Amino acid sequence: MTESYELTRPVFFVGFMGAGKTSVARRLARVCHVASVDMDTYLERREGKKVKEIFAESGEEGFRVLETDVLAELAAKEPLLVSCGGGVVTREENRAILARAGFVVHLKVSADEAAGRISDTSTRPLFQDLEAARARCGERAPLYEGVADATVDTAGKSVFAIAREVQDVLVEEGVLCQQRK
């Protein structure tokens, strides 16, 4: 018999590109029978354009404005697991939404480890060069830590192991509760 859970509030996964935010959220959603959504995919469907196209047409700032709108929209829905884009923490408004609206899990990864996980960097407008990615990862690290309610180091761990660790944290914090039969 599989156990079903429910979320008491939204869970936002933050971290650098390649940290495993989407993979871990999907795995956790399957195991716990809760809903998950990838913010970038949701944004692409809503706008009818790929993130790469939005960056090309509107620049990073134009994309970030849309991202804030999507974050606020998802934060207002029934609680679900939300894998955020790597740069969501760069806007103060987003950090405020994250802090106010839910429980934030920082999946910690180095730029070098992330580079080894990302098979196609062409889909990542801000991961075209490893040195630049290292610098960006370093700049964002304090922002991720600043919004995090919990941090899970992903170095050398499988998606399954990370998801299990996150599940344990969420249960312990009362964010993920087993449903009563």
Side-chain angles (χ1 to χ4, degrees), residues 72-99:
E73 194 177 309
L74 293 173
K77 290 183 177 293
E78 286 290 312
L80 68 165
L81 303 172
V82 180
S83 50
C84 298
V88 75
V89 296
T90 59
R91 292 188 86 199
E92 192 173 320
E93 186 178 353
N94 293 350
R95 294 191 302 272
I97 292 168
L98 291 167

Side-chain angles (χ1 to χ4, degrees), residues 25-94:
R26 284 184 184 148
R27 174 78 196 178
L28 204 52
R30 273 195 310 273
V31 169
C32 298
H33 305 283
V34 296
S36 76
V37 65
D38 176 84
M39 247 178 81
D40 285 348
T41 302
Y42 184 91
L43 188 148
E44 287 178 343
R45 287 186 181 143
R46 194 183 89 166
E47 298 301 313
K49 296 176 187 173
K50 295 284 183 200
V51 167
K52 191 177 178 178
E53 295 171 297
I54 296 167
F55 261 80
E57 292 171 11
S58 307
E60 184 175 357
E61 186 53 35
F63 171 77
R64 297 290 172 214
V65 169
L66 290 173
E67 186 179 54
T68 297
D69 190 44
V70 166
L71 180 62
E73 194 177 309
L74 293 173
K77 290 183 177 293
E78 286 290 312
L80 68 165
L81 303 172
V82 180
S83 50
C84 298
V88 75
V89 296
T90 59
R91 292 188 86 199
E92 192 173 320
E93 186 178 353
N94 293 350

Side-chain angles (χ1 to χ4, degrees), residues 14 89 106-108 140-152:
V14 300
V89 296
H106 171 209
L107 296 183
K108 189 175 179 180
R140 290 180 181 173
L143 299 175
Y144 296 134
E145 287 300 324
V147 297
D149 293 301
T151 297
V152 173

Side-chain angles (χ1 to χ4, degrees), residues 40 44 51-52 118-128:
D40 285 348
E44 287 178 343
V51 167
K52 191 177 178 178
I118 298 171
S119 55
D120 180 11
T121 58
S122 73
T123 63
R124 312 287 181 128
L126 298 178
F127 205 139
Q128 300 305 310

